[in-house]
Amino acid sequence: MAVTCWLSIPILLFLGIPGNVVSAMVFYRQGLGERINVCLFLLALADLVNVVILLLLYVENRVRKHVSPDTWFIAIYLGSVRSVEWASHFLSAVIACERCFCVVSPLHAKRLLKTSTMTAIVVVCCVVLMAGMCFIITSKLTVGFMHDPSANITRSFLAVTQ
């Protein structure tokens, strides 16, 4: 856990934020008129948001441990926004399927997969997926309290609702 918190996450943040910003800029500059550019641009944005949320959760975790152990509000609601991770997985699957379809049948792919249609489908599916996950995660978590009589302190923790 210490390796994850003190080594892996900072390296991921150091590489992930600039890497996704550059990727999004590159695909935007190439033009969003092609299906693959739109998908890769949206994937870079989803991954960028995911890394920024990871940064905020990391900072919140450090603050909670050193300043106030009962600040769970941020973790509950910011954790629900991690549904962007599901959108990122969905976009990766769409990109893989689209590439396979283009390799197997390039003429059919060009005729059947229009950029505007694909963009609309991907955006609607990602929004529905993220909204559903935000609703589920937010309603599922609550803050629980446990009293330690030997130390005479009350500790808080995240718990799953009934």
Side-chain angles (χ1 to χ4, degrees):
M1 205 51 191
V3 170
T4 300
C5 288
W6 293 106
L7 186 64
S8 300
I9 291 176
I11 289 173
L12 179 66
L13 296 172
F14 181 73
L15 296 174
I17 292 173
N20 284 307
V21 167
V22 168
S23 292
M25 287 182 354
V26 164
F27 291 114
Y28 182 77
R29 298 264 301 161
Q30 282 185 354
L32 299 178
E34 295 181 32
R35 297 181 310 271
I36 193 66
N37 286 353
V38 170
C39 289
L40 291 172
F41 174 75
L42 291 173
L43 179 63
L45 285 182
D47 287 343
L48 178 63
V49 170
N50 200 16
V51 171
V52 169
I53 290 169
L54 179 66
L55 170 67
L56 294 174
L57 285 171
Y58 177 73
V59 168
E60 190 269 340
N61 190 26
R62 297 289 116 207
V63 168
R64 186 175 58 247
K65 286 187 181 207
H66 297 295
V67 177
S68 173
D70 293 328
T71 56
W72 287 99
F73 179 79
I74 296 172
I76 291 173
Y77 293 103
L78 200 56
S80 68
V81 182
R82 297 252 355 240
S83 60
V84 174
E85 183 176 338
W86 289 83
S88 176
H89 296 313
F90 173 74
L91 287 166
S92 296
V94 167
I95 291 168
C97 292
E98 190 263 347
R99 289 290 90 192
C100 288
F101 188 52
C102 286
V103 168
V104 171
S105 182
L107 296 176
H108 284 40
K110 187 172 185 176
R111 185 173 49 88
L112 295 175
L113 298 175
K114 302 286 184 214
T115 302
S116 58
T117 307
M118 185 137 180
T119 302
I121 290 171
V122 166
V123 169
V124 167
C125 288
C126 285
V127 167
V128 168
L129 181 67
M130 289 170 31
M133 290 305 294
C134 283
F135 176 74
I136 290 169
I137 293 173
T138 304
S139 63
K140 150 181 130 164
L141 295 177
T142 187
V143 178
F145 295 95
M146 179 179 62
H147 181 69
D148 184 4
S150 63
N152 197 24
I153 58 172
T154 302
R155 299 185 189 264
S156 65
F157 59 93
L158 283 178
V160 177
T161 62
Q162 294 177 0

